[in-house]
Amino acid sequence: MKLLEPIVKLYLDTTIPSYLFAADSPARMAITRRFMQLGQSEYEMIISDIVVKELKRAAEPKRQWLLESVKDIPMTTSTLESFELAGAYVQAGALPPASFDDAHHVAIATLSKVDALISWNFGHLVNIRRAKAIAAINASRGLYHIEILTPEEVIPA
């Protein structure tokens, strides 16, 4: 009898659709494209209204490409609870004040109980010290533990 594989739920931050069109970074662009192709069938992926807000800042024609790339991904919305949790991350020093939107991505992912937040943001998200600080804050509040990974860490070799 074959065991059912659990569904892996992933939150994609803004860097993921952005790297689909990052011709200046061909290796990451290729990995991201492979991840998105596999992700459609292998994972349950979500984005948030914060992702859409950030994508809308891009200049045309890239803005349209970015929005088109996420149009079929379910979107969750920010809440007062996610805003407050993002503030707690910043207040505790897990993320700098200038990175509130990054903190908000983490908060939304945490409250959505995803398995991992997927990002190429090494400065503020895919960073062991920040991940440990976020995990400690989540644990102290009895919140869901999430991983923070790159697409490369999720797709099969």
Side-chain angles (χ1 to χ4, degrees):
M1 179 169 135
K2 183 178 177 184
L3 294 176
L4 292 177
E5 291 186 30
I7 295 173
V8 177
K9 189 172 179 182
L10 307 174
Y11 175 95
L12 311 183
D13 84 345
T14 310
T15 63
I16 302 308
S18 295
Y19 269 93
L20 289 171
F21 306 101
D24 60 332
S25 185
R28 285 192 188 162
M29 183 174 73
I31 291 165
T32 304
R33 288 181 175 189
R34 183 167 172 241
F35 165 75
M36 291 298 287
Q37 288 170 348
L38 289 171
Q40 305 279 328
S41 61
E42 298 288 323
Y43 310 108
E44 181 181 333
M45 300 188 303
I46 65 168
I47 60 169
S48 71
D49 56 337
I50 304 301
V51 171
V52 173
K53 177 185 85 170
E54 291 175 342
L55 294 177
K56 285 182 176 180
R57 293 181 192 153
E60 290 294 355
K62 188 175 182 180
R63 178 185 320 141
Q64 190 58 40
W65 301 338
L66 291 167
L67 293 171
E68 182 69 21
S69 73
V70 299
K71 72 177 175 58
D72 295 328
I73 300 173
M75 183 177 68
T76 188
T77 56
S78 51
T79 62
L80 179 58
E81 186 180 13
S82 68
F83 188 83
E84 289 172 350
L85 182 56
Y89 294 144
V90 170
Q91 185 176 12
L95 290 147
S99 297
F100 187 84
D101 280 349
D102 292 330
H104 208 172
H105 286 298
V106 176
I108 293 168
T110 296
L111 296 171
S112 297
K113 296 183 178 179
V114 299
D115 296 294
L117 182 153
I118 308 301
S119 178
W120 284 117
N121 182 340
F122 290 98
H124 297 137
L125 296 176
V126 187
N127 175 304
I128 188 68
R129 287 190 174 101
R130 296 196 191 282
K132 287 179 75 68
I134 289 163
I137 293 163
N138 287 354
S140 74
R141 292 169 168 251
L143 296 172
Y144 197 76
H145 172 79
I146 63 166
E147 300 292 329
I148 302 174
L149 306 169
T150 67
E152 195 169 30
E153 294 174 291
V154 178
I155 58 176

